[in-house]
Amino acid sequence: MLEQGRIGTRQLSILIFMMVVGDMMLIYPSVITSYAKQDAWICALVGVPLGMALMLMFLKLSSLYPEENLIQILRSILGFWPGNVVSVFYLFFFAIGASTHTREVGDFLTSQIFQYTPVRVIILMFVITIGWGLYHGLETIGRSSELLMPILIVFILVLAFCLLPQVDPSNVKPASDVGVVPILQGILISIIYPVGELIPIMMIIPYTLKQAHRTRDVLVAAGLGNLLLAILVTISLLVLGAFLTQHNIYASFVLSQKINIGGFFERIEAIMASSWLISTYVKAMVYLYAFTVGCAELFKLKQYRILILPVSLLIFGLSNLVSPNLTFIVITVVPYWIDWDTTLSIILPGLLLLVHMFKKRWKTKSSG
């Protein structure tokens, strides 16, 4: 196998939780509210069980070929050449995903905190960090995520509790007044963005130890991550209202700026930024890992570490090319990214399960 390290079920679950929260912690309230308006909190809550169902489909596909990663599964189901062609699409998605997350970090830090720092400096530092994590292997990625997750959870809970005095229930009225289509779009977003982007985890599942309750723990992790995002959406709507949530791309960051308890507990937005950086770092690192291991598998290499330097340089270049600025991401990338996620995270995995089922039945009939 390309990866000699192994992680446990708990580390896999934590990685999934961190990926669900990921970059969504900042931009998710704005994106879902732009479709469902004041009903975004309903869509976010409905998306929790549906997202767990999507995660179950990923696990089902992986369980059919327990020793194989996504690239190997594609070859096993579709055949060598068709499987390789589809693999290229997934690898391209992993590369663009890692580049986009890196670019998001650069745009956020240079627009909100380090206004006079060139964005390429931030991107270079971030790429070096995720490349360094990738070099140390899957076990190190899993252990570091264990250490970093409590910081993320504590801050989100602090954010929610400290904003309770500013909650205004009238901000979510009238309920169910935006129409059926916007609500359905909001529900699709609540499934696709948090959980649909977990498809790179199929490159990690084969290297997870076979422990009891793995399916249960993974589903709970995906559900809790999505529920945490739903809480952020609800708090954002109750405090800022639908209009301000929709038009503040970093709604969670704006919320952290509004915290003021007794005139001494305030200005904690730097902690918010740190928490978002942690979750986005883990997500970008998993995407880069999936791309690197996938390339090594595609070209039948004996190890993937020799690809880390060229892949990191590629991500650095793509991060500067994928988007010229934040406005481009909001206007151009976000509306079409959902179609890409839907194709690679729902349609293709569903078709793979159908092809596997038909092949199994065909073999049964032929042998009978």
Side-chain angles (χ1 to χ4, degrees):
M1 279 190 171
L2 284 169
E3 177 60 69
Q4 302 302 320
R6 293 293 182 270
I7 60 174
T9 298
R10 183 177 62 185
Q11 292 171 331
L12 177 66
S13 302
I14 290 174
L15 280 176
I16 287 173
F17 176 85
M18 297 283 275
M19 286 186 67
V20 170
V21 177
D23 59 326
M24 292 291 109
M25 190 166 71
L26 271 189
I27 66 174
Y28 183 66
S30 174
V31 172
I32 193 170
T33 306
S34 66
Y35 287 91
K37 303 299 186 289
Q38 69 269 16
D39 292 337
W41 66 277
I42 301 175
C43 300
L45 289 174
V46 171
V48 174
L50 295 178
M52 294 173 70
L54 179 60
M55 187 69 229
L56 186 61
M57 183 172 73
F58 296 159
L59 293 175
K60 175 64 176 177
L61 187 57
S62 295
S63 67
L64 297 174
Y65 303 89
E67 302 297 328
E68 298 182 0
N69 58 38
L70 179 60
I71 306 301
Q72 295 168 321
I73 290 174
L74 289 169
R75 286 173 176 167
S76 298
I77 295 178
L78 301 177
F80 185 78
W81 289 111
N84 282 344
V85 171
V86 179
S87 296
V88 170
F89 283 101
Y90 274 104
L91 292 177
F92 182 68
F93 174 68
F94 297 157
I96 296 297
S99 304
T100 304
H101 301 325
T102 304
R103 181 70 196 205
E104 285 175 341
V105 169
D107 285 336
F108 170 72
L109 290 179
T110 53
S111 64
Q112 303 295 325
I113 300 176
F114 303 115
Q115 286 92 348
Y116 300 105
T117 304
V119 67
R120 292 186 180 183
V121 174
I122 302 293
I123 290 175
L124 179 61
M125 293 173 64
F126 191 74
V127 169
I128 291 173
T129 308
I130 60 176
W132 182 250
L134 185 61
Y135 176 78
H136 286 280
L138 183 59
E139 289 185 10
T140 303
I141 295 173
R143 290 171 183 169
S144 61
S145 65
E146 278 187 294
L147 294 173
L148 295 172
M149 189 187 73
I151 302 173
L152 186 70
I153 295 178
V154 167
F155 177 76
I156 294 179
L157 293 178
V158 168
L159 178 70
F161 283 115
C162 290
L163 287 171
L164 287 179
Q166 302 184 42
V167 163
D168 183 5
S170 64
N171 285 331
V172 295
K173 297 177 181 179
S176 304
D177 193 47
V178 297
V180 176
V181 174
I183 290 180
L184 291 177
Q185 289 175 325
I187 292 174
L188 180 61
I189 287 173
S190 70
I191 303 168
I192 287 299
Y193 276 155
V195 183
E197 295 191 356
L198 287 177
I199 193 71
I201 213 72
M202 291 184 65
M203 297 294 297
I204 292 178
I205 291 178
Y207 312 125
T208 307
L209 297 174
K210 307 292 188 297
Q211 295 175 322
H213 310 301
R214 185 173 75 173
T215 300
R216 181 198 66 186
D217 293 349
V218 165
L219 290 179
V220 169
L224 286 177
N226 211 350
L227 181 62
L228 206 61
L229 292 176
I231 292 172
L232 275 178
V233 172
T234 306
I235 290 292
S236 182
L237 287 172
L238 288 171
V239 175
L240 297 177
F243 182 83
L244 290 178
T245 300
Q246 176 185 348
H247 291 88
N248 280 297
I249 185 64
Y250 302 129
S252 300
F253 188 75
V254 174
L255 285 174
S256 64
Q257 292 176 322
K258 294 179 72 66
I259 292 177
N260 186 351
I261 298 179
F264 69 94
F265 189 70
E266 57 183 350
R267 305 297 296 176
I268 64 168
E269 59 267 22
I271 304 176
M272 175 68 198
S274 302
S275 303
W276 179 75
L277 275 174
I278 288 171
S279 58
T280 308
Y281 168 72
V282 173
K283 188 172 184 178
M285 190 159 48
V286 172
Y287 265 80
L288 188 63
Y289 176 87
F291 177 66
T292 308
V293 173
C295 287
E297 180 64 46
L298 185 68
F299 295 107
K300 299 290 186 180
L301 301 181
K302 293 183 179 179
Q303 60 167 324
Y304 69 88
R305 281 188 170 86
I306 59 174
L307 296 177
I308 293 177
L309 179 59
V311 162
S312 299
L313 293 174
L314 175 66
I315 297 302
F316 173 73
L318 284 175
S319 300
N320 289 285
L321 293 174
V322 72
S323 169
N325 49 52
L326 178 62
T327 306
F328 182 86
I329 290 181
V330 175
I331 296 176
T332 307
V333 175
V334 170
Y336 295 102
W337 195 276
I338 188 171
D339 300 327
W340 204 8
D341 278 348
T342 303
T343 303
L344 296 180
S345 301
I346 296 181
I347 297 176
L348 281 179
L351 290 176
L352 288 174
L353 286 172
L354 288 175
V355 171
H356 171 82
M357 182 180 67
F358 286 135
K359 286 177 68 177
K360 187 176 180 180
R361 288 186 178 180
W362 180 264
K363 288 181 181 178
T364 305
K365 288 182 180 180
S366 300
S367 60

